[in-house]
Amino acid sequence: MDGIKVLLLDIEGTTSSIKFVHDAMFPYVVSHVRSFLEKHWHEAECQEDVQELRKLAQQDKEEGVEGVVSIPDKADDEETDEETVRDSVASNVLWQMSSDRKSTALKQLQGHMWREAFSQGILKGHVYDDVVPVLQWWRANGGAIYIYSSGSVEAQKLLYGHSVQGNLLELLNGHFDTHIGVKLEAESYKKNCCKYYL
């Protein structure tokens, strides 16, 4: 292995088809976000997701981001009903997705929606046929494998844990997402991945 000890892999176009993410995972969110919010609205996890999306929307508004969809807070306006707030959350999610944003708040809600879909067998993660033998060989020869994707760590684990080739999590040492920084920034690798794992 010529001194290389760690593989740091992306998902889209690396271990899995970009088409699966864009033609299966994203459309699932688009078509189910409203019903998901209605079903889970009163659960603490869902409200945490909503709060993070609201904070981001407020920040976007303050920074003058074009097209931002605000999310009202029922606590600040008694005349704002629950359905209006849910609709604004769904609209904000769809706006972010149409703008191809990679915000942590968006990825968090998407991850929770995908968890439900994967656990129910509605979605199964695509993995290229030649990926598993390579991962197995790498681990058998003492190498470590980490995933770094803009998708949340939870979403990553769902894709590999419920893949078309079975549960692949035992082949992976760990996962990174945008909590450690944006993938396009070198500092994300220098100060985070490399510091703790390489």
Side-chain angles (χ1 to χ4, degrees), residues 52-71:
E52 290 303 310
L53 288 165
R54 181 181 288 117
K55 284 165 51 179
L56 177 61
Q58 181 61 36
Q59 180 182 327
D60 286 339
K61 184 177 181 180
E62 293 172 356
E63 295 177 355
V65 176
E66 185 176 352
V68 61
V69 178
S70 298
I71 300 175

Side-chain angles (χ1 to χ4, degrees), residues 83-147:
E83 185 176 353
T84 298
V85 179
R86 275 201 303 269
D87 284 345
S88 67
V89 173
S91 295
N92 178 278
V93 167
L94 297 178
W95 167 71
Q96 287 200 60
M97 293 182 69
S98 68
S99 303
D100 196 28
R101 300 191 77 183
K102 309 290 186 183
S103 72
T104 300
L106 172 64
K107 296 299 180 182
Q108 181 170 292
L109 175 62
Q110 288 176 327
H112 295 152
M113 291 186 64
W114 289 326
R115 177 181 62 198
E116 185 167 277
F118 278 108
S119 65
Q120 294 177 358
I122 298 171
L123 293 174
K124 283 191 176 294
H126 173 268
V127 176
Y128 290 120
D129 291 340
D130 59 352
V131 167
V132 175
V134 172
L135 299 185
Q136 290 172 332
W137 180 89
W138 191 265
R139 289 299 304 274
N141 284 275
I145 304 167
Y146 292 89
I147 303 295

Side-chain angles (χ1 to χ4, degrees), residues 12-187:
E12 295 181 39
T14 305
T15 67
S16 307
S17 172
I18 295 177
K19 189 173 182 179
F20 171 72
V21 176
H22 288 274
D23 291 357
M25 293 181 70
F26 287 165
Y28 177 84
V29 172
V30 170
S31 62
H32 290 80
V33 62
R34 293 182 189 278
S35 60
F36 180 88
L37 289 170
E38 185 173 356
K39 178 181 178 181
H40 299 284
W41 187 254
H42 296 288
E43 298 172 13
E45 182 178 74
C46 184
Q47 285 303 307
E48 289 171 6
D49 293 344
V50 170
Q51 185 59 27
E52 290 303 310
L53 288 165
R54 181 181 288 117
K55 284 165 51 179
L56 177 61
Q58 181 61 36
Q59 180 182 327
D60 286 339
K61 184 177 181 180
E62 293 172 356
E63 295 177 355
V65 176
E66 185 176 352
V68 61
V69 178
S70 298
I71 300 175
D73 191 339
K74 193 172 183 294
D76 296 334
D77 184 359
E78 294 182 357
E79 295 183 2
T80 301
D81 60 50
E82 195 173 275
E83 185 176 353
T84 298
V85 179
R86 275 201 303 269
D87 284 345
S88 67
V89 173
S91 295
N92 178 278
V93 167
L94 297 178
W95 167 71
Q96 287 200 60
M97 293 182 69
S98 68
S99 303
D100 196 28
R101 300 191 77 183
K102 309 290 186 183
S103 72
T104 300
L106 172 64
K107 296 299 180 182
Q108 181 170 292
L109 175 62
Q110 288 176 327
H112 295 152
M113 291 186 64
W114 289 326
R115 177 181 62 198
E116 185 167 277
F118 278 108
S119 65
Q120 294 177 358
I122 298 171
L123 293 174
K124 283 191 176 294
H126 173 268
V127 176
Y128 290 120
D129 291 340
D130 59 352
V131 167
V132 175
V134 172
L135 299 185
Q136 290 172 332
W137 180 89
W138 191 265
R139 289 299 304 274
N141 284 275
I145 304 167
Y146 292 89
I147 303 295
Y148 183 19
S149 171
S150 56
S152 68
V153 166
E154 181 172 18
Q156 295 173 35
K157 290 181 177 180
L158 288 169
L159 189 151
Y160 292 113
H162 300 271
S163 85
V164 291
Q165 299 195 46
N167 187 345
L168 307 179
L169 292 176
E170 63 181 14
L171 297 175
L172 306 173
N173 295 84
H175 304 259
F176 302 103
D177 59 20
T178 53
H179 279 96
I180 69 166
V182 180
K183 289 194 301 180
L184 295 177
E185 297 178 357
E187 291 304 307

